Amino acid sequence: MKKRGIGIGASLYPTGMSGGGDSSQAQVKVQPDGTVVLTTGACDIGEGCKTVLAQMAAEVLGINYEQVKVINDNTDNCPLSFGTFASRVTYVDGKATVDAAEKARDILFEVAGQMLEANPGDMEAVDGKISVKGSPDRSLPIGEVAGAATFGMRKLVVGLGHYMREPSAPDPETGEIDPFCTLAWAAVLAEVEVDTETGEVDLLRLVCSYDVGTAINPLLTEGQIEGGGAMSIGAALSEELYPNYPSLEQAPTNLGDYAIPTTMDIPDIEAVIHECPSTNGPFGAKGIGEMTANTPAPAIINAIHDAVGVWIMTLPATPERVLRALDEKGGA
Amino acid sequence: MHSLELTVNGRSYQTTVTLKTTLLEVLRDKLFITSPKVGCNSGDCGTCSVLIDDKLVRSCITNALSTQGKEITTVEGLSKPGHLHPLQEAFHEKYGAQCGFCTPGMILAAKALLDENPKPSRKDVREALSGNLCRCAGYGKIVDSVMAAAEQMGQAKN
Amino acid sequence: MTMKVVGQRVKRYDGMAHVTGETRFVDDVIVPGTLTVKALRSPVSKGTIKTMDTSSAEAMPGVAGVITAEDVPCNAYGLVPDQPVIADETVRFKGEVVAAVAAVDEDTALEALEKINLEIEEEECVLDPLEAMKPDAPKVRPEGNVFMYDERPFRQIILGDIEAGFKDADVVVENEYVHPSLEHAQLELQTSLAVPAASGKLTIYTVSQALYFHLGQLCGILQMEPDQIQCKSWAPKTGSSWRHNAGFSDVNYIGGTVGGGFGSKNDIHADHVTALLALKTGQPCKWRWTREEDLLYSTFRGAWFITIKDGVKKDGRIVARQMKSIRDAGGYSSLNPYVVDKHSFVATGPYFVPNVQIHGYCVYTNKPPASSMRGFGVTPSVFATELQMDKIAQELGMDPWEVRFINAYRTGDQTPTRRVLNSVALVEVMQKLAEKAGVDLPDKLKNMNSKERGWT
Ligand code: FES
Ligand code: FES
């Protein structure tokens, strides 16, 4: 018999390294023609930091995304980033990038101020131009300002940015600590169909709702939600490094035996993005990368319980485990 | 050592191989065509996928000598400067590639499908790509990409 | 202020390179004359190396160099620097590297491994963390099998008064949860290419997720400032061109484009070995792990054993949580102590609990070192907490949504580590989920928000 059930799960996830101290730096250089090179030490492991950091730099400088080029490939040239982990890059490297871009912009404001005989504090950078706020006719293309800075005023239009949250250690007695930059929030619903004869669980639906602060790029946010979702589905239903735990025997030696989900195991994941801006993040962003891999698994296990009334207390819910649980319970 | 002649992306090559050299080794180590990746070397992941005479194969478990005189296509062969294949366009547009490691194989698996079945359903796409693993994307946007490319190619034909 | 670029669905920066096959991963970097690296790994989970004779391997034609623990200037690395690059005397897990070879091709390298005369005296090992915690268990590490957080063998988080909390409760819900070991299974294998230059500068192509974090560790391994790093052996005993007092600028670490990480590349797996062999042989050295090695011997998500005891009021409020979590860390610290910390800091999940006692244990066993994986220690705590919420709902005869809405953090709530929260959005996120999924919530829940409790 096939039985359906629905389960939910919720979670929070901290942005940045627990306890802080993980610093990141960035350099934004405005070329004499107004195009921009962002140099960062953050690694792109697939999550897309080159894309979102370039977006942030472009936003600050009032130029197109396409006009920003990113260098992140070597330690001889790139400033320090502590690394791409702890869902920290959008937030921490993002803040460093914004800081760097603002400092570069300040130089442009200063130069443009002289050219337009205006106060640098009254300038803005929008639509590829440096303008006096409120008087759109008093403006100069960013390339002209950068060119004048380079050749006329002998200035290097470079901004150096940095961000680090103060390190803090847990109190040995109470564990008191300020462990995160900000928190992101998640809730997930899973619908499954359980075959009571075979113990097989078919995931019919996975709906994911995530607060990511400001989504710097919703397309990439969805990519994280779907990718992390897939990973959590694998954890819920098929993956196990030591099937005979704690024994090492029968540990998988290939990707046929260690069964990560294929196209056939994942439904089209439905995602909804909620934006509750962080108080201190770049443009209100929060970290999203890791949290997406956490909540689907328990939602699926809760859905199995809803369907057939058994609790799978040890992941993954393989057909054998489900059958055994059904047996112990005396049937669905 | 045995002599091997094959065509890759329209260009013919001659090289020498042993009896156990794989097609993947020929492509990567001898011809320096690196889009087919080594994800497992055991036929389980699909990152080494290429087309042999338009059929999808895993080059890591394909004996090089068995490709004598055959035509091989890798993802490098799909685009010309300034002109992407609709599948490449779609994977870029629809965010079908995250880290990019599975992407060349994924695109070729999709091409093999669309050559056979120009109007696939999402389920057809899922079936056709089921031998190509992706750990990053969760597949949804990969399927979106293939569907978009199919649509685009269908329109181009009419 | 309206934003023009932030918030836009712009295409991936490197998407074009990905779809054309142009993206260059470490394995795609071709340097003429590159040697192939292979490692000899311990066949046993625990033992003492009695014989290590590499002379016949070294004498083989085509073999450019062999390294053992003796060749590692500072043979201890990691956040808690307790892991040797190459095992020296003691092996702590099956698959631990005991020697590495650089040769002209893979066949030669593999043949050379067979020529290494290795004798290991096998010793009793312990694989189960619950066994390892017992006083008479075989010792994984000389300091003991349980990581010490300050004076305690666990990380403690305390808020409120746990006893009072349980007294106040109407029901107690207690359960045990097991989260198994998982592998990242990122598709790009652990790979490294080290290219030496006559000037002494080393270029390393890396899959690292954290260039500078690893650069620092690497400089520590390759030698340097002996007074600053505690090390057993310094100068290599074999003839190589070690440069002392080298620093960050002596290595150009090239990377930043990674074929999937998920935490698998937060620990150095191959760069130290290729670096040492490149320096020793003066030739480029490349090591790409096999998928089998990557599955069995790279870092992974260690297993967890979690017991949660919650004191709950009839109205659904959780008023006390006592939690004991045990992490199977494997043979070395790597990022495990941090993983347990992170787990413990947020162990009540997204829910406000006024009285909390969390004990997080990091326990060594004779397995490969576990480490970070997407979600660090939070993933298993979410798993356990979210099953627990449904169990509480069942116990109280309540709807699972309602239990979560009632306990969800609100602005101004205090976390177990005594932070006062802002930017809280769980209630809204759940409301949006229900809407998207077509679940019609009762008005009571629809009208709640994260700004106020909505009940007292
Ligand atoms: S490398 Fe060929 S299938 Fe994985
Ligand atoms: S995009 Fe990374 S494996 Fe598919």
Side-chain angles (χ1 to χ4, degrees):
Chain A
M1 209 180 359
K2 292 189 174 178
K3 292 191 159 189
R4 289 190 175 194
I6 285 180
I8 55 170
S11 66
L12 57 69
Y13 202 84
T15 298
M17 251 184 102
S18 289
D22 50 327
S23 86
S24 282
Q25 308 170 327
Q27 177 188 294
V28 167
K29 179 166 76 144
V30 182
Q31 301 281 40
D33 67 349
T35 59
V36 166
V37 179
L38 162 67
T39 318
T40 161
C43 299
D44 201 323
I45 61 175
E47 86 293 356
C49 65
K50 283 194 257 189
T51 312
V52 299
L53 296 178
Q55 283 180 267
M56 291 188 204
E59 186 68 49
V60 172
L61 290 162
I63 57 175
N64 293 332
Y65 162 66
E66 289 76 15
Q67 285 170 290
V68 181
K69 294 292 171 273
V70 184
I71 298 177
N72 76 329
D73 64 0
N74 74 86
T75 52
D76 270 1
N77 295 309
C78 298
L80 177 146
S81 167
F82 218 63
T84 303
F85 57 88
S87 304
R88 63 182 293 284
V89 170
T90 299
Y91 191 103
V92 181
D93 292 78
K95 279 183 81 73
T97 299
V98 168
D99 184 25
E102 284 175 351
K103 285 178 178 152
R105 192 181 59 186
D106 284 347
I107 298 173
L108 294 172
F109 284 171
E110 200 188 311
V111 172
Q114 288 193 31
M115 295 165 79
L116 294 167
E117 294 177 358
N119 185 341
D122 295 338
M123 321 284 290
E124 62 182 358
V126 217
D127 293 335
K129 294 194 207 70
I130 309 294
S131 337
V132 180
K133 271 185 215 156
S135 359
D137 51 319
R138 292 175 73 198
S139 75
L140 293 164
I142 185 172
E144 210 170 295
V145 180
T150 312
F151 299 107
M153 302 180 195
R154 302 176 192 196
K155 269 187 193 301
L156 186 55
V157 191
V158 171
L160 302 175
H162 188 265
Y163 182 71
M164 184 183 86
R165 212 159 48 85
E166 279 311 307
S168 66
D171 178 88
E173 186 57 34
T174 64
E176 176 172 359
I177 185 175
D178 181 10
F180 34 71
C181 297
T182 184
L183 292 173
W185 308 88
V188 169
L189 178 142
E191 185 176 359
V192 300
E193 185 172 80
V194 184
D195 186 326
T196 56
E197 254 105 77
T198 63
E200 257 161 64
V201 178
D202 193 8
L203 178 63
L204 304 173
R205 220 182 153 196
L206 192 73
V207 190
C208 300
S209 174
Y210 284 88
D211 159 48
V212 301
T214 303
I216 304 297
N217 185 332
L219 186 65
L220 270 61
T221 306
E222 288 164 15
Q224 289 281 16
I225 293 173
E226 294 172 16
M231 201 171 251
S232 195
I233 293 168
L237 297 175
S238 62
E239 296 180 30
E240 195 167 17
L241 186 56
Y242 297 113
N244 268 331
Y245 189 89
S247 156
L248 308 180
E249 267 153 49
Q250 288 174 35
T253 58
N254 60 58
L255 288 173
D257 291 341
Y258 188 82
I260 71 171
T262 73
T263 50
M264 304 306 282
D265 306 314
I266 311 282
D268 281 320
I269 293 171
E270 300 162 63
V272 32
I273 298 173
H274 179 77
E275 296 185 281
C276 170
S278 61
T279 44
N280 197 29
F283 303 100
K286 297 178 177 179
I288 167 79
E290 294 169 279
M291 75 181 307
T292 57
N294 295 344
T295 326
I300 290 168
I301 302 303
N302 287 338
I304 295 173
H305 176 256
D306 186 48
V308 294
V310 298
W311 292 108
I312 306 297
M313 307 287 276
T314 300
L315 288 181
T318 55
E320 303 77 62
R321 274 212 185 98
V322 173
L323 279 186
R324 213 182 311 137
L326 281 170
D327 247 17
E328 275 164 27
K329 180 180 156 268
Chain B
M1 282 294 180
H2 302 262
S3 157
L4 171 69
E5 274 177 59
L6 75 178
T7 306
V8 185
N9 300 329
R11 190 193 294 182
S12 52
Y13 293 89
Q14 190 173 17
T15 184
T16 53
V17 296
T18 69
L19 285 174
K20 57 169 219 174
T21 308
T22 65
L23 175 59
L24 181 58
E25 287 164 344
V26 169
L27 292 171
R28 290 183 60 86
D29 304 341
K30 302 229 170 201
L31 309 183
F32 304 140
I33 295 168
T34 55
S35 75
K37 307 292 179 206
V38 184
C40 68
N41 249 336
S42 57
D44 295 305
C45 75
T47 58
C48 64
S49 300
V50 302
L51 303 179
I52 303 183
D53 294 341
D54 295 328
K55 288 247 161 348
L56 184 70
V57 299
R58 287 143 200 255
S59 60
C60 72
I61 48 168
T62 301
N63 187 287
L65 281 169
S66 75
T67 66
Q68 193 72 263
K70 298 266 163 74
E71 289 211 24
I72 317 293
T73 307
T74 70
V75 88
E76 286 94 338
L78 296 189
S79 53
K80 297 179 196 74
H83 183 83
L84 296 185
H85 186 279
L87 274 164
Q88 293 172 308
E89 288 280 7
F91 269 74
H92 186 31
E93 176 84 33
K94 299 277 175 195
Y95 198 34
Q98 291 194 16
C99 80
F101 204 81
C102 70
T103 311
M106 231 17 124
I107 289 178
L108 292 170
K111 180 170 189 302
L113 167 71
L114 296 188
D115 286 349
E116 290 258 304
N117 176 3
K119 281 190 185 162
S121 64
R122 287 185 81 85
K123 189 156 173 283
D124 295 336
V125 175
R126 285 186 177 274
E127 269 164 22
L129 303 186
S130 62
N132 288 70
L133 298 176
C134 172
R135 190 58 154 168
C136 299
Y139 303 112
K141 290 196 185 316
I142 291 174
V143 180
D144 292 348
S145 305
V146 181
M147 294 302 285
E151 172 123 339
Q152 163 72 33
M153 288 160 80
Q155 273 173 9
K157 256 188 218 141
N158 296 332
Chain C
M1 195 188 100
T2 52
M3 292 189 287
K4 303 214 160 156
V5 190
V6 162
Q8 297 301 309
R9 302 167 74 90
V10 302
K11 284 186 257 184
R12 199 186 157 86
Y13 183 87
D14 47 9
M16 191 74 97
H18 284 355
V19 301
T20 52
E22 186 184 294
T23 299
R24 198 171 61 167
F25 297 96
V26 174
D27 196 29
D28 303 332
V29 176
I30 292 153
V31 178
T34 296
L35 301 169
T36 301
V37 174
K38 287 281 166 192
L40 184 66
R41 293 175 179 279
S42 166
V44 301
S45 292
K46 186 163 190 262
T48 302
I49 298 175
K50 293 290 173 194
T51 314
M52 169 61 75
D53 179 2
T54 59
S55 51
S56 358
E58 272 163 297
M60 260 180 69
V63 171
V66 181
I67 54 169
T68 63
E70 292 197 347
D71 297 281
V72 192
C74 177
N75 201 5
Y77 76 107
L79 207 55
V80 178
D82 62 7
Q83 182 168 4
V85 176
I86 300 181
D88 184 8
E89 252 181 83
T90 308
V91 297
R92 296 194 170 82
F93 68 91
K94 186 174 170 208
E96 188 165 5
V97 173
V98 295
V101 170
V104 286
D105 55 30
E106 186 174 325
D107 287 347
T108 312
L110 289 171
E111 208 185 316
L113 293 185
E114 278 170 27
K115 295 234 161 98
I116 296 175
N117 181 9
L118 166 73
E119 278 171 39
I120 297 188
E121 196 173 281
E122 190 170 357
E123 288 154 17
E124 195 194 345
C125 70
V126 56
L127 295 170
D128 183 345
L130 306 178
E131 290 298 319
M133 289 170 83
K134 294 181 180 160
D136 53 347
K139 287 273 163 288
V140 180
R141 309 198 46 77
E143 328 74 88
N145 290 348
V146 184
F147 181 81
M148 296 299 288
Y149 289 93
D150 304 301
E151 303 289 280
R152 288 198 179 79
F154 49 82
R155 165 65 69 211
Q156 173 164 281
I157 314 287
I158 287 195
L159 183 72
D161 180 341
I162 190 76
E163 296 304 323
F166 280 118
K167 251 186 223 140
D168 187 31
D170 299 317
V171 267
V172 170
V173 181
E174 183 169 357
N175 291 291
E176 280 175 42
Y177 303 92
V178 181
H179 197 289
S181 311
L182 296 176
E183 165 59 28
H184 311 88
Q186 80 296 339
L187 287 186
E188 181 196 28
L189 295 159
Q190 300 292 348
T191 309
S192 174
L193 168 63
V195 184
S199 63
K201 179 139 183 166
L202 196 57
T203 301
I204 301 176
Y205 296 84
T206 181
V207 298
S208 169
Q209 291 179 231
L211 292 178
Y212 273 91
F213 178 40
H214 289 174
L215 182 59
Q217 292 187 38
L218 211 52
C219 289
I221 291 165
L222 294 182
Q223 62 77 52
M224 345 188 158
E225 288 142 273
D227 45 328
Q228 284 178 25
I229 305 157
Q230 277 194 337
C231 258
K232 216 171 77 188
S233 57
W234 287 103
K237 291 165 191 144
T238 39
S240 59
S241 57
W242 296 106
R243 296 176 67 249
H244 291 267
N245 301 315
F248 278 26
S249 58
D250 288 294
V251 177
N252 190 17
Y253 218 15
I254 299 188
T257 298
V258 184
F262 316 114
S264 66
K265 295 160 181 172
N266 281 337
D267 297 88
I268 302 178
H269 285 95
D271 293 336
H272 38 27
V273 169
T274 57
L276 290 163
L277 278 165
L279 289 171
K280 181 160 182 174
T281 63
Q283 275 178 268
C285 288
K286 176 162 135 184
W287 189 17
R288 183 185 69 216
W289 288 28
T290 64
R291 181 53 71 179
E292 180 173 342
E293 287 180 298
D294 204 308
L295 280 165
L296 295 181
Y297 311 130
S298 76
T299 51
F300 58 101
R301 194 195 291 291
W304 286 83
F305 299 82
I306 300 170
T307 310
I308 301 180
K309 181 177 163 194
D310 283 340
V312 188
K313 302 287 277 182
K314 280 210 187 78
D315 61 12
R317 275 180 297 154
I318 305 171
V319 288
R321 164 162 294 195
Q322 193 175 38
M323 186 159 160
K324 181 180 175 186
S325 299
I326 295 164
R327 156 84 162 188
D328 181 351
Y332 295 100
S333 294
S334 53
L335 295 170
N336 287 295
Y338 173 79
V339 168
V340 172
D341 264 350
K342 198 149 179 162
H343 170 92
S344 309
F345 295 156
V346 295
T348 61
Y351 308 111
F352 171 65
V353 183
N355 304 293
V356 176
Q357 186 205 68
I358 313 287
H359 288 171
Y361 293 80
C362 174
V363 181
Y364 299 104
T365 62
N366 292 108
K367 290 203 191 62
S371 192
S372 57
M373 177 167 165
R374 199 179 198 168
F376 286 92
V378 182
T379 313
S381 91
V382 172
F383 165 67
T385 295
E386 290 309 299
L387 262 62
Q388 179 79 357
M389 293 309 280
D390 267 36
K391 292 206 162 231
I392 290 170
Q394 191 186 34
E395 185 80 27
L396 300 176
M398 240 180 186
D399 183 75
W401 290 89
E402 191 176 358
V403 181
R404 288 177 172 84
F405 272 88
I406 286 176
N407 290 289
Y409 273 128
R410 304 299 203 273
T411 306
D413 279 345
Q414 207 181 27
T415 72
T417 67
R418 297 161 202 245
R419 287 308 101 189
V420 176
L421 291 176
N422 58 33
S423 186
V424 182
L426 183 60
V427 167
E428 291 74 16
V429 162
M430 290 195 293
Q431 287 162 341
K432 280 205 172 160
L433 173 69
E435 198 183 313
K436 176 92 180 175
V439 173
D440 192 21
L441 294 176
D443 284 347
K444 186 170 132 200
L445 305 188
K446 267 189 204 155
N447 294 332
M448 286 185 177
N449 65 62
S450 290
K451 297 270 175 295
E452 56 206 4
R453 276 252 83 91
W455 51 268
T456 40

